[in-house]
Structure formats: C-alpha cells, structure tokens
DNA sequence: CGCCGGTTTGACCCGCGTCAAGTTGGGTGG
DNA sequence: CCACCCAACTTGACGCGGGTCAAACCGGCG
C-alpha cells in the first residue's frame, strides 16, 4: 500500500477516458486531482472477492486480470479479461456488493480510488461521469458478445473470437502494435473463459496452429492470419464501440506480420 | 405513433427509478416533464434492429420483449428478456450504434424518449442520471449471470435459473404476486435464450413437470417448488441488486403456492 | 374441415467432456 | 551442474449431454 507521487495511474485513466468519450481540459485537471493509491498484486490472488462490499474502484495500471465466479460444483467461469486502463469494478460505484471476484494472472499494479472521490468527480464533471458510464456500457456490450458466443458458437469459433477480442483491446491501449501480444493465460484459464475444458482448448489451439492461423509459444501469442481468425470467430469489432472508428485492425496487412 | 395524455409511461419509469435508486420529489417532477411518445408493436416484429443508429430510448410499458443477435450461420441467441419498466436500450444513450436487435413476443406498448431529453434530464438531475446508470449496471450483472450459466451449467440448471430470474423480475414489478406468471415465450424462444435446441428445452420442461417442480399450460407458468427450482438453477437473487433487500421471494412459503 | 405454428417423442449422431497417462521445461536445491 | 519437481501442456480412448432429423400430435382459427 504505497502512495505514488508519479501520476502514472492518472495518465492511464485520462488516456482511457479520451479513448471512450470526449472530455475537455477542465475535466482532465479534475481527474488529475483524484486521490489514487497504488498497490501491487501477485499472480493468482484475488484483488476483490465475491461477497465483499467495496467502497473503492480499481484501475488496472499494468498486468493482466480477469473476473470470475464458481458454480456450486466448483466449476469456474471467467466473465471478463482486463488490460491496462480498464476499470474492472467500476460497477461497484453503484452496486457495492460484489457478485463475482476479480483476480490477476500476472503480477499487476492497480490504482484504487474511493467511491466518494469518484462520486464527487462525477457530480462536478458530468462529462467525466458520462465517460465512465460509457465505459461500463462497453463492458456490458462485451458481455453480450460472450453470451452469443457461449450460446451459439462452436469451441473453435469462441476461441478465435476471444483471441481477436483480446488482440484488439490490447491494440487499443498500445499493447499489441502488430499481430503479436503477450497473453499470460494458461490453457486452463482460457478454457474457463470459453466454457470448454483444458483438453478441448488444447486441441483447438493445436488445430489453429497446424492451420497456420495463430501461434503460441509460452505466453507470446502471434496471429498469423487475422482475416481467417476473425472470420472463424465471427469477429466484428463494432461491439467494442471504439470512438476511433473501426479501422484499427481492419487496415492491418491482410496476411502475416 | 400516438401521443398520450395519460402519464402511464412516466409512472412506470418513476416506479422503476425508485426501485433502483433513491430519488427525490424534484427529480420526480423533472421526470414527469419528459416528452414521451407511446407506440404499440405487434408480437414478433423488431422494435429496434441491429445495425441501426438510434437517437431515442425505449421504456417498456407493457408486453414482453427480448434482445437477440444472429450468428453467421443464422442461429439466434437471445441476450435478455424484458418486462414492464425495463429500458432495454438505455445503453444507446452513450453508444447509439445498435449491436443487437430488440423485439416483442407479445403485443407491447413502448414509450420513446429522445436521447436529447434524457441527456438534458441527466445533467439537471444527477440523481436521476445515477439511477439510470445503475439500471444499465443491473442489466450488465444479468449478462454476467447468463455467461456463467451458458459456460458452466447444464441445460436443466440453465432452464431452472431462467425461470427463477423471470419470476423474480416480474415479481419486482408486480407481475407475479404468487408463484404463477404469464410467460409468453415459445419453447423455441426459450431455447434461443438458453443456448439449447427446442427439442432439449421440451425434454427439460417435461422433466421439471414430471418432477412436480414447475407446470406450464400455454403461456401460464406455475412454479410448484420454488426451493427445488432455485437450488437446481443455483439461483441467488443478489446478482439482481434489488434495493429492497433480497427477501422478496426468499420469504415465500417453502413449497406449493 | 383442414391448415399451421407450436409441442412432443423417438432414433441416431457428434462435439466436447472425462479419465488417464505421458511429456516438456523452467525453477530449485544439493 | 545435475537431479528432481511440479505446473502446464499433450495425446489417446471412451462416454454422454445435447444436437439433428423426422414423424406425429394438438389446439386455435379461417
């Protein structure tokens, strides 16, 4: 629990707010005043746990995190992945009971902001409130996309879709400038997100690898044929509702890195 | 497209806002001033379609509606069901591109409010804005719940869970005072929500009927053993984030109507 | 009376789960 | 510098939940 003098967390938050909505200089100044406490978390431990009542929000500075829940028979379902700039529990501002947990897959740095401070900011700066609201709505749009995948797509398609989604969201925050990105997930974690088993995920990835679509060595993910992968996963990035048109990845070279 | 003099839509909206958050008399007065246009829609037709850019929100006055998307091979996945008081496309306020469609299963009355009017209201009445934001977050919480179900529960459990969820949400708006409610859905529609096929849904419902858990004659749904159904569906209503504690249904008699 | 959407049921099949047995490679301690 | 360990990954064999196909059945309605 160390308070930082540098404004890394604030800068990341501002970057996100600008990515999501349109805020002005005064808004930015107000955001920079937010009291933020930065903490680090080791891989594999809960940052927030199901059942807790929370009074602060988390902004992910760096690392890779996810949200999940367990069924009664102990199966785990991962609900969302999060990259730098995401505010995974922003919803807690309005519903402080956590109905799921939030954990890290790699050592992660998280900025904590109290709900009170966020409320205060929202009231003084309606455009910031709007940006934050929009951020939670994009979260919801991603959930909808996952529902469609889990309900109606095959294991192969779901996997392809997830790889596309993560690539694009990382790209939006500068973490996947080309077709290569760091995907610090075990196949078990992928399986728990995709509603599959490790065995199946392993076979799907093998297929994709043998077909030259993607490649994965340790946590380094390489998309070799974006178009093929996107078609297979029925990936249409409009559900991510980026303000910068859609063309980020669509304009990438058709094949190869 | 008929403009009503009666304030039915406003009253329903106010009831919802009060259910979801804490607003005061001035807020209520401002809400009552909202220009609302009421229209009726026949069963089976789209109220809003995927791909549209919209500039108004819908509040469901009465009827039963749902949101859905199709996969490329034409399979349909229903994403959400909606009952009186829901504002199914409130998210469009911030993301006016519709990434899914919105349709009715019964003849439904819908109130339309322009985004401009809602924006204006949100800026003048921050507590109303907060209530609306919260409403979209509950929407998101339901999505998460569906993800867990689709990813990790059996067909039987998912079905049980859905029946519980609809019962409870209808109950919250007074449409299921006891264990009986009108569920105007075909088995095909249920299947598209549950990620199953009609055949399977039929068999699941048969099992539930034979075990005396639920009963369904035409569109009349009767839950005979709430506890059994809730246990089977791993239904914990906290994800619905009602303000009125949790005890609405928990206090109902243990068995039978 | 006959059509038609919705429901029900049977027979069969397949994607994915389950179980189980390796294999691989980075990390650790002797 | 090697021996060992353990988590993650792989692969094969087999079974089942739910999908697919197809044929009734049922009740409301023109």
């Amino acid at each position: 629990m160390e308070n930082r003098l540098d404004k890394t967390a604030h800068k990341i938050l501002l970057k996100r707010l600008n990515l999501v909505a349109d805020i002005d200089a005064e808004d930015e100044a107000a955001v920079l005043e937010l009291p933020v406490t930065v903490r680090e978390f080791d891989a594999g431990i809960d940052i927030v746990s199901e059942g807790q009542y929370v009074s602060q929000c988390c902004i992910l500075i760096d690392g890779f995190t996810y949200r999940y829940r367990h069924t009664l028979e102990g199966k785990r379902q991962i609900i969302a992945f999060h990259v730098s700039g995401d505010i995974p529990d922003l919803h807690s501002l309005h519903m402080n009971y956590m109905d799921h947990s939030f954990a890290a897959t790699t050592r992660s740095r998280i900025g904590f902001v109290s709900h009170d401070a966020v409320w205060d900011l929202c009231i003084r700066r309606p455009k910031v409130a709007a940006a934050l609201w929009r951020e939670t709505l994009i979260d919801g749009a991603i959930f909808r996309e996952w529902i469609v995948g889990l309900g109606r797509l095959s294991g192969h398609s779901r996997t392809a879709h997830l790889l596309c989604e993560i690539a694009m969201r990382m790209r939006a925050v500068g973490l996947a400038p080309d077709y290569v990105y760091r995907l610090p997930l075990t196949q078990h974690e992928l399986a728990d997100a995709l509603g599959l088993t490790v065995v199946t995920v392993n076979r799907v990835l093998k297929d994709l690898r043998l077909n030259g679509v993607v490649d994965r060595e340790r946590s380094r993910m390489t998309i070799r044929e974006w178009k093929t992968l996107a078609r297979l996963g029925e990936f249409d990035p409009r559900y991510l509702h980026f303000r910068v048109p859609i063309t980020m990845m669509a304009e990438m070279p058709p094949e190869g890195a």
Side-chain angles (χ1 to χ4, degrees), chain A:
Chain A
M1 175 102 56
E2 33 196 306
N3 227 308
R4 298 290 171 102
L5 291 182
D6 76 280
K7 292 273 178 183
T8 317
H10 297 81
K11 282 177 200 154
I12 287 178
L13 177 54
L14 280 179
K15 208 168 137 190
R16 171 56 56 100
L17 293 177
N18 276 304
L19 181 70
V20 160
D22 208 5
I23 61 173
D24 60 37
E26 278 186 76
D27 294 325
E28 297 205 354
V31 169
L32 284 170
E33 295 305 313
L34 271 181
V36 177
T37 305
V38 174
R39 291 173 62 188
E40 295 217 350
F41 292 84
D42 277 329
I45 67 162
D46 275 9
I47 296 159
V48 183
S49 297
E50 181 177 348
Q52 284 186 276
Y53 289 83
V54 300
S55 57
Q56 54 189 8
C57 291
C58 302
I59 171 154
L60 179 52
I61 300 171
D62 58 48
F64 200 89
T65 62
Y66 63 99
R67 294 190 275 164
Y68 69 95
R69 262 197 41 211
H70 285 286
T71 65
L72 293 184
E73 14 174 45
K75 293 180 182 170
R76 179 175 68 166
Q77 176 66 41
I78 289 177
I79 287 162
F81 289 116
H82 291 290
V83 299
S84 175
D86 287 352
I87 313 171
D89 63 353
L90 184 48
H91 56 89
S92 69
L93 184 63
H94 292 268
M95 315 183 306
N96 65 346
Y97 172 76
M98 284 293 294
D99 54 30
H100 59 274
S101 303
F102 170 44
T105 62
T106 57
R107 187 162 179 79
S108 300
R109 278 197 303 153
I110 312 268
F112 289 90
V113 190
S114 78
H115 286 168
D116 291 345
V118 180
W119 270 118
D120 181 59
L121 179 64
C122 283
I123 287 175
R124 286 186 296 115
R125 303 267 105 212
K127 284 168 82 174
V128 174
L132 290 175
W133 188 351
R134 186 165 204 269
E135 177 74 10
T136 63
L137 291 171
I138 292 173
D139 212 48
I142 295 173
F143 293 150
R144 288 195 292 272
E145 192 75 8
W146 282 39
I147 287 175
V148 176
L150 286 165
R152 291 297 183 220
L153 297 185
S154 69
H156 279 76
S157 290
R158 256 134 69 195
T159 307
H161 188 284
L162 180 61
L163 295 177
C164 287
E165 176 184 309
I166 295 178
M168 189 144 243
R169 287 172 55 199
M170 292 193 96
R171 193 173 161 78
V173 295
L175 288 172
D178 46 19
Y179 285 105
V180 182
Y181 59 94
R182 194 168 130 66
L183 184 69
L185 293 174
T186 65
Q187 294 183 356
H188 190 79
E189 287 160 336
L190 281 172
D192 283 347
L194 294 166
L196 300 171
T197 57
V198 210
V199 177
T200 304
V201 166
N202 184 279
R203 286 174 175 140
V204 168
L205 289 177
K206 181 184 173 189
D207 285 354
L208 291 175
R209 184 178 350 108
L210 291 181
N211 290 329
V213 184
V214 305
D215 209 347
R216 187 157 183 269
E217 45 194 61
R218 308 227 75 22
S219 70
R220 180 190 176 80
M221 184 73 219
T222 306
I223 298 180
R224 298 215 177 283
E225 298 188 21
W226 171 265
K227 283 174 106 165
T228 308
L229 193 67
R231 188 162 1 93
L232 178 58
E234 306 197 1
F235 183 75
D236 172 356
R238 279 178 291 185
Y239 76 93
L240 291 170
H241 295 273
F242 289 137
R243 265 199 338 138
V244 265
I246 323 148
T247 39
M248 347 184 25
M249 210 99 177
E251 293 192 339
M252 292 171 72
E255 238 96 88

